[in-house]
Amino acid sequence: MNILLCSINTQKGLYDISGVEVGQHLYWQIGGFQVHAQVLITSWVVIAILLGSAIIAVRNPQTIPTDGQNFFEYVLEFIRDVSKTQIGEEYGPWVPFIGTMFLFIFVSNWSGALLPWKIIQLPHGELAAPTNDINTTVALALLTSVAYFYAGLSKKGLSYFGKYIQPTPILLPINILEDFTKPLSLSFRLFGNILADELVVVVLVSLVPLVVPIPVMFLGLFTSGIQALIFATLAAAYIGESMEGHH
Amino acid sequence: MKNVTDSFISLGYWPSAESFGFNTDILATNPINLSVVLGVLIFFGKGVLSDLLDNRKQRILKTIQNSEELRGGAIEQLEKARARLRKVEMEADQFRVNGYSEIEREKLNLINSTSKSLEQLENYKNETIRFEQQKAINQVRQQVFQQALQGALGTLNSCLDNELHLRTISANIGMFGTMKEITN
C-alpha cells in the first residue's frame, strides 16, 4: 500500500485522495517502551464505551428489566451460553474472562467499522480498531494461553501435563507445538481479518469514495462480529479442553 | 517491507500532518458511507433487536408470573397443611384429655369397687366374728345352763320333799295362772 506513497513529496494531491497508511504508527515513549499511541487511544475509547454503557445499564436494576438492562442481560446470557457450551459444567468462573474477550474484541472491531476515526488526524498513522494492531491481538491470545494453563493447572495440578502424552507419547511434540500454535493462530486470525477488512474498505474508498464501499463495509461488520465470536469461542474451548479430565 | 522502513523514516520528515487535528476532507474521512451503514444498521437492527428484547422480556414476565402462581399455590397448600395440623393437634389434645379423664374415672371406679369389696370383706369378717362369738356365747350359755340345771336337779333331788313339792307346784300354778291372765 505504501508504494502508493512513495512519490508523496511530488504528488501531494494524489496522496490526498489515496493516502492509505499501513505500518504508520504514532509512537509514544512510556518507560523506555515504544508504544503505538493510536491503538492505546482507540482502546481507551472502546474501554470507555464498554464501561460507560455497562455502568449506565446496571445503575438502576429492576426485577423486570427495562431496555438497556434487558439488552445487557441478553448479552450476558449469550456469553454465558457460549462459555457453557464450550467449557461445560464448571463454566462459572470463566464467564468474566470470556465475556471480556468477546466484548472487547467485538466493540473494537465494530468501532473500527462504524466510528469515523479518520476525522481525527494524528501526527503519524491513523486511528483504527485496536484489533487492527498485531500487538493487541497477540496480547489477547497470550492472555488466553495463560488462562487455559491456569485453568488446567488449578483443576488437575501437575497431572495436567499428562495430557501431552495423551493418547500416545508419540504425539508429544505435536502436543507441545499446539501450545505455541494456539495463541499464534488466534492472534493472526483476528489481526488478519480486521486488517484486511479495513484495508479493503480504505482502498475502495480511495478508489470510489461513495456507495461502492458500503457492501464491503457490511461484510466487514459481519466478519468483525464473527471474528469476535470465534475468538471467544476458541478461548472458551481451549479452557474447557484443558479442564476436561480423563479420569 | 517498505512499510517498516517508511514508518521509521517517517518519524523524521513526514510532511502531511505534524500534530493532532481534524481532517475535513469529506471523501477521505468517509462519513457519508459510514452514516449510510449506520442508518441501515439502525433501521434493520432496531426491529430485530427490539423483537429479541421484547421476547426476552415477555419470557421473564411469564417466568415471574408462573413462579408467583406456584408460590401462591404453595402458600395455599402450606396454609391448608397448617390448618390440618392444628385440627389434628386439637384432636390429639382432646384424645389426651379424654384419655386422662377416662383413666381417672377408671381409677376412681377401681378404687370404689375395691373399697366396696374391702368393705364387704370387712363386713363378712365382722359377721363371721360375731357369729363365732354368738356361737361361743351360746355354747358357754348352754354349758352354764346345763350345769345350772344339773345343780338345780341335784339340789332338787337332794332336798325335795312332799311339802316343798306341793308348794312349788302351787306357786307355779299361780304364776302360770297370772301369766295366762296377762296374755289374755
Side-chain angles (χ1 to χ4, degrees), chain B residues 4-65:
Chain B
V4 182
T5 51
D6 257 5
S7 66
F8 281 106
I9 294 166
S10 66
L11 274 175
Y13 68 90
W14 192 252
S16 62
E18 282 300 336
S19 62
F20 290 88
F22 289 100
N23 193 344
T24 49
D25 185 345
I26 259 186
L27 292 184
T29 54
N30 201 18
I32 300 168
N33 292 336
L34 279 178
S35 56
V36 170
V37 169
L38 263 181
V40 172
L41 202 66
I42 289 170
F43 182 74
F44 285 108
K46 206 176 169 187
V48 175
L49 198 66
S50 66
D51 266 9
L52 215 68
L53 294 186
D54 267 354
N55 277 348
R56 190 183 127 81
K57 200 169 173 177
Q58 291 308 320
R59 214 173 57 230
I60 290 173
L61 275 179
K62 215 187 290 174
T63 313
I64 289 176
Q65 224 164 26

Side-chain angles (χ1 to χ4, degrees), chain B:
Chain B
M1 296 304 104
K2 204 167 185 320
N3 297 345
V4 182
T5 51
D6 257 5
S7 66
F8 281 106
I9 294 166
S10 66
L11 274 175
Y13 68 90
W14 192 252
S16 62
E18 282 300 336
S19 62
F20 290 88
F22 289 100
N23 193 344
T24 49
D25 185 345
I26 259 186
L27 292 184
T29 54
N30 201 18
I32 300 168
N33 292 336
L34 279 178
S35 56
V36 170
V37 169
L38 263 181
V40 172
L41 202 66
I42 289 170
F43 182 74
F44 285 108
K46 206 176 169 187
V48 175
L49 198 66
S50 66
D51 266 9
L52 215 68
L53 294 186
D54 267 354
N55 277 348
R56 190 183 127 81
K57 200 169 173 177
Q58 291 308 320
R59 214 173 57 230
I60 290 173
L61 275 179
K62 215 187 290 174
T63 313
I64 289 176
Q65 224 164 26
N66 272 356
S67 41
E68 286 282 335
E69 270 166 27
L70 283 182
R71 183 166 157 268
I75 285 178
E76 210 169 291
Q77 268 181 352
L78 181 68
E79 277 309 312
K80 244 184 251 171
R82 266 202 194 129
R84 232 176 53 202
L85 177 67
R86 258 200 304 274
K87 218 174 83 185
V88 169
E89 257 176 6
M90 230 148 65
E91 272 174 16
D93 270 348
Q94 211 148 23
F95 274 129
R96 206 175 302 137
V97 168
N98 279 359
Y100 277 140
S101 60
E102 192 85 10
I103 287 170
E104 280 297 320
R105 216 163 48 226
E106 284 294 321
K107 201 169 81 180
L108 278 183
N109 279 354
L110 205 63
I111 288 173
N112 277 350
S113 65
T114 313
S115 63
K116 217 176 279 174
S117 59
L118 202 66
E119 212 172 330
Q120 254 167 4
L121 282 178
E122 193 81 20
N123 280 352
Y124 184 61
K125 190 185 78 184
N126 285 346
E127 202 90 27
T128 314
I129 288 173
R130 211 161 47 227
F131 180 67
E132 287 294 329
Q133 234 170 4
Q134 208 77 37
K135 222 165 83 179
I137 288 171
N138 275 353
Q139 252 172 359
V140 168
R141 196 183 282 159
Q142 227 163 13
Q143 258 174 354
V144 169
F145 188 61
Q146 239 166 6
Q147 274 174 354
L149 273 185
Q150 267 168 357
L153 203 63
T155 314
L156 276 180
N157 282 343
S158 62
C159 61
L160 200 60
D161 52 359
N162 269 341
E163 193 196 353
L164 187 59
H165 204 163
L166 285 177
R167 232 183 16 219
T168 308
I169 289 172
S170 65
N172 275 353
I173 287 172
M175 205 168 66
F176 281 134
T178 46
M179 271 173 74
K180 197 178 173 193
E181 270 174 24
I182 287 166
T183 51
N184 280 346

Side-chain angles (χ1 to χ4, degrees), chain A residues 28 35-52 100 103-109 111-112 115 117 122 126-137 139-140:
Chain A
W28 282 349
V35 297
H36 295 177
Q38 85 274 18
V39 175
L40 282 190
I41 292 168
T42 45
S43 298
W44 290 337
V45 172
V46 167
I47 291 167
I49 290 172
L50 279 173
L51 281 183
T100 308
L103 286 178
F104 181 72
I105 294 170
F106 186 78
V107 175
S108 294
N109 295 349
S111 79
L115 294 182
W117 288 118
L122 302 181
E126 56 190 8
L127 293 175
T131 40
N132 197 358
D133 193 283
I134 185 97
N135 297 303
T136 315
T137 59
L140 293 174

